[in-house]
Amino acid sequence: MSADGALPRELPVVEGALPRELLVVEGARQIRDGDLVIVGTGLPLLAATLAQKTHAPEAKLVIESGVMFPKVVPTPVSVVDPRLMHGAARHGSLFEALGGLVQRGLVRTGFLGGAQVDEYANINSTWVPRSDGSQVRLPGSGGANDIASHCAQVVILTNHEKRRFPDRCDYITSPGFLGGPGERAKAGLGPLRVKVITDLCVMEAEDSALTVTALMPGATVDAVLENTGFTPKFRDSLDTVVPPEPEELRLLREEIDPACVYFPERKPR
């Protein structure tokens, strides 16, 4: 058992790529050239930077702390890391990032994570129950609620574990489709496309329950079912995620995260 209580799972290594590298590469593919994208540190930042270095050189990054359009230097560890501010067009504020851009509907894609994601793509990053009934307090929303409420597309990068995908979130920090189709509109929220990318599959939704649309190379339907707390829908014809190109892996390892900050398993022992 790992330090966080998760049971170990054997995941396929695809042409030398780690499972989490597959998440980053597939996450990068969700960004179009010219998109305005809001990201935090971690895997979303790696994905956005990879997109800029490959197919989306004109994508513009916005950091929740107010950094606008930086030229990121490897490898930031927080949203106030100076390496995340290098070459920025503006060092603004959280108010400018969330109020001036996100809440005005100017940011197309937002990357999010969370402790729980339920079948209607709601996200919990506030608290989860312990086995004894007490609560574990998590970091909370930050800008996640703003992003889920006002961006046109939300991309969630996460490991695929049953505890992360319950039937219903214990708390809704950031709204997906709330209780089901139509409820987002009733709450006064605009349309949203959600894509959840895990180390086993890709799930998508637009005012509906999450549907598995693709499997990661080497993953199976049974593995997805075994590691999901609800029974997801499956598209009739499932795609297989295209493995990373050698150049994508080279960029990720040598230019974007050369010190293996987010992939410590790659460090020489």
Side-chain angles (χ1 to χ4, degrees):
M1 183 174 289
S2 67
D4 63 0
L7 294 175
R9 289 190 293 118
E10 290 295 326
L11 292 168
V13 176
V14 180
E15 298 183 7
L18 296 169
R20 292 204 312 153
E21 289 178 326
L22 295 178
L23 268 71
V24 171
V25 173
E26 186 63 14
R29 293 168 180 165
Q30 311 312 310
I31 298 173
R32 305 180 308 193
D33 200 20
D35 276 355
L36 198 56
V37 182
I38 187 164
V39 297
T41 49
L43 299 188
L45 178 63
L46 304 188
T49 307
L50 179 61
Q52 285 185 318
K53 289 179 177 291
T54 53
H55 65 279
E58 297 302 317
K60 298 294 190 294
L61 307 187
V62 176
I63 312 304
E64 179 185 320
S65 57
V67 179
M68 309 289 180
F69 316 154
K71 298 176 182 178
V72 178
V73 176
T75 304
V77 296
S78 77
V79 294
V80 294
D81 190 323
R83 290 170 291 189
L84 194 59
M85 305 174 188
H86 175 72
R90 177 172 175 76
H91 292 169
S93 66
L94 182 143
F95 178 80
E96 289 176 277
L98 299 181
L101 294 176
V102 173
Q103 291 182 15
R104 290 174 63 198
L106 299 179
V107 180
R108 176 179 180 267
T109 300
F111 280 81
L112 294 176
Q116 295 178 329
V117 181
D118 67 24
E119 67 172 328
Y120 286 111
N122 302 301
I123 300 172
N124 175 17
S125 56
T126 300
W127 66 267
V128 292
R130 292 189 178 97
S131 57
D132 63 3
S134 62
Q135 298 177 4
V136 178
R137 184 65 167 88
L138 303 174
S141 173
N145 184 286
D146 302 77
I147 292 167
S149 296
H150 300 288
C151 287
Q153 173 176 253
V154 165
V155 179
I156 302 168
L157 305 181
T158 184
N159 294 334
H160 205 127
E161 302 166 354
K162 183 171 286 189
R163 63 178 183 155
R164 291 184 182 271
F165 290 97
D167 181 55
R168 289 288 184 273
C169 287
D170 290 294
Y171 184 95
I172 296 179
T173 309
S174 307
F177 306 108
L178 299 173
E183 291 202 8
R184 185 177 173 88
K186 288 179 183 177
L189 300 173
L192 175 69
R193 181 186 181 200
V194 176
K195 184 165 283 191
V196 182
I197 301 172
T198 79
D199 46 23
L200 291 178
C201 70
V202 176
M203 295 184 281
E204 301 181 45
E206 292 185 56
D207 201 29
S208 63
L210 288 169
T211 297
V212 179
T213 58
L215 297 175
M216 285 293 180
T220 65
V221 169
D222 286 344
V224 174
L225 290 170
E226 182 181 348
N227 290 282
T228 308
F230 56 90
T231 302
K233 299 177 181 179
F234 289 83
R235 194 168 67 183
D236 291 339
S237 178
L238 287 176
D239 294 328
T240 299
V241 170
V242 177
E245 296 288 337
E247 177 62 6
E248 290 173 318
L249 292 178
R250 188 197 70 77
L251 287 168
L252 189 56
R253 296 168 184 176
E254 297 180 15
E255 297 187 21
I256 299 173
D257 188 20
C260 302
V261 172
Y262 293 103
F263 298 99
E265 56 268 52
R266 286 215 172 276
K267 288 184 178 179
R269 296 182 181 243

